[in-house]
Amino acid sequence: MESPGVAVVIPLFNHESYIVEAIRSVLSQSRPPDRLVVVDDGSTDNSLAAAERALNHAGPTQVELRVQSNRGTARTLNETICSLDEAVIGILNSDDVWAPNRLEILLPKLDMSGPSLVFSGVEFFGDSDQEDLLSYPLVMATSLHVGACLPSVGFTLLLKNIAVSTGNFLFTRQLHARIGGFDENLPGCHDWQFLIDTLPIVEPVVVPESLY
């Protein structure tokens, strides 16, 4: 069976210290995406220049760098996804990275016959003195333990966003269209809302391996 087209979107805002590694982690995938779109959402630091340098080493992936005034993450994602033709959409935050084999492992888990979404386990990193970094893995582990007693992943997602972030989403473009995209009116948690909106349509698939 022919592999579906995969596009990855990186919304970028003031992450000049992280964007190069984020882009590299996408371009170095064992199953490279067909397209990578980086959208600078009105950065005021040197993020744009850093992204331009990183995209000069794209390999087989078609790359595009878009620049716009600040519109917020949800709107940026919706507008970008709606402009793409690829059947599968991946998102990566501009201060995060993917494991090298993420797409290779997750892509076969999608049901390409309709709306579908998959996410993986998460490895936390950052400054060791950050209180949230120290506490969040324990919170997530507790949520997963509780979720194991529930009938499905969907029940767990009603309690906690165990996917953590949009950067952990891989989904069919059909799902985005069916839901109507990310809620642009929310001041936060548009990622969790997207997952909750998914539940009446399809059960998300979880791969426990930390690929994000």
Side-chain angles (χ1 to χ4, degrees):
M1 181 180 297
E2 184 178 351
S3 179
V6 179
V8 177
V9 180
I10 301 180
L12 169 60
F13 181 72
N14 287 353
H15 277 152
E16 63 176 297
S17 299
Y18 305 102
I19 184 58
V20 171
E21 288 304 313
I23 290 173
R24 286 174 178 170
S25 77
V26 173
L27 296 178
S28 62
Q29 288 290 300
S30 55
R31 193 291 191 191
D34 300 281
R35 183 185 302 196
L36 169 61
V37 181
V38 179
V39 185
D40 186 276
D41 190 33
S43 293
T44 56
D45 61 359
N46 293 316
S47 293
L48 182 59
E52 288 176 333
R53 291 194 301 271
L55 291 173
N56 285 332
H57 309 283
T61 300
Q62 178 183 347
V63 298
E64 182 180 354
L65 179 59
R66 303 181 184 180
V67 182
Q68 63 185 33
S69 58
N70 186 264
R71 301 176 190 177
T73 303
R75 181 180 173 187
T76 295
L77 288 173
N78 285 336
E79 291 179 349
T80 306
I81 291 168
C82 288
S83 73
L84 301 174
D85 296 323
E86 284 76 10
V88 175
I89 305 296
I91 300 170
L92 179 59
N93 300 330
S94 53
D95 59 343
D96 290 333
V97 295
W98 280 354
N101 56 345
R102 176 180 171 84
L103 288 180
E104 180 182 2
I105 292 175
L106 295 190
L107 193 56
K109 306 296 184 182
L110 287 173
D111 180 359
M112 296 308 302
S113 65
S116 185
L117 182 146
V118 60
F119 61 89
S120 73
V122 176
E123 180 178 352
F124 297 88
F125 67 93
D127 297 333
S128 59
D129 59 348
Q130 290 180 354
E131 183 177 350
D132 57 343
L133 183 67
L134 295 173
S135 63
Y136 208 66
L138 177 60
V139 172
M140 294 306 300
T142 302
S143 299
L144 290 172
H145 177 73
V146 172
C149 303
L150 298 174
S152 70
V153 173
F155 280 89
T156 310
L157 286 169
L158 291 174
L159 296 174
K160 185 73 175 179
N161 180 8
I162 57 172
V164 179
S165 171
T166 52
N168 198 14
F169 296 178
L170 187 70
F171 53 90
T172 58
R173 197 156 51 87
Q174 292 182 61
L175 177 64
H176 183 269
R178 177 81 173 272
I179 291 174
F182 294 91
D183 191 333
E184 299 176 14
N185 296 314
L186 289 176
C189 295
H190 59 272
D191 47 0
W192 196 3
Q193 184 63 56
F194 187 88
L195 291 172
I196 292 173
D197 290 341
T198 296
L199 299 182
I201 300 171
V202 66
E203 176 76 5
V205 175
V206 182
V207 174
E209 184 177 352
S210 296
L211 302 172
Y212 171 61

